[in-house]
Amino acid sequence: EVQLVESGGGLVQPGRSLKLSCVASGFTFSNYGMNWIRQAPGKGLEWVAYISSGSSYIYYAETVKGRFTISRDNAKNTLYLQMTSLRSEDTALYYCARSGRGFDYWGQGVMVTVSS
Amino acid sequence: DVVMTQTPVSLSVSLGGQVSISCRSSQSLVHNNGNTYLSWYLQKPGQSPQLLIYKVSNRFSGISDRFSGSGSGTDFTLKISRVEPDDLGVYYCGQGTQYPPFTFGSGTKLEIK
């Protein structure tokens, strides 16, 4: 069974940093591209970042480019999102999602709240 | 960026009925390789989104044949037949042809009468 489990969220002040993790199991993690997708409270889905299976290709949404860094450790089956210079508009539930046939598996999400 | 426009914003259906949700893209979603990377997702209340349909009309593993996708180019439709209580939630279309960024529609909320 494919499982994606996010962690690392919480309440953080504007301008500070936070690092999210997503541990994968039930599939060969190193064979798949991975994504972070977020959902602000009561809003729709916003894709944040993508990393290819071997980390050769990395893409970001313009709203986070230069502030967020996606990375992965295939030996640990773990996806990361380093978030810096956080803003109130980054407040959202952050999902990791596998790139397969579309975004075919999603984690349960981790909440990030940016507030003073 | 490819803008995805979903209609309607919300709809209400009786159990056993049928509904259609429209999704239009601002640019063709036909990839250079001939595939069209248009997917449909359902987010049930309090849950993570789940993939229903990929590449326009392919049902994902375990998805009921009550769900069907169709369309081409820039116009796509999700049909749900014999609506059941478990179908309620917000439906999103999403494109993976022209990226970055991957983009989603704004969602269609399905309510059961």
Side-chain angles (χ1 to χ4, degrees), chain A residues 35 37 39 43-45 47 59 95 101-108, chain B residues 39 41 43 47-51 54 60 92 99-102 104 106:
Chain A
N35 303 267
I37 297 168
Q39 186 170 36
K43 303 297 184 182
L45 302 171
W47 170 81
Y59 306 115
Y95 297 102
R101 298 178 172 90
F103 301 120
D104 56 3
Y105 291 95
W106 300 60
Q108 84 287 351
Chain B
S39 301
Y41 303 87
Q43 187 172 31
Q47 296 187 20
S48 306
Q50 62 179 105
L51 176 65
Y54 63 96
F60 188 55
Y92 295 94
Y99 64 91
F102 297 93
F104 296 94
S106 53

Side-chain angles (χ1 to χ4, degrees), chain B residues 9-23:
Chain B
V9 173
S10 64
L11 70 165
S12 183
V13 63
S14 300
L15 293 176
Q18 177 175 297
V19 296
S20 293
I21 300 171
S22 173
C23 176

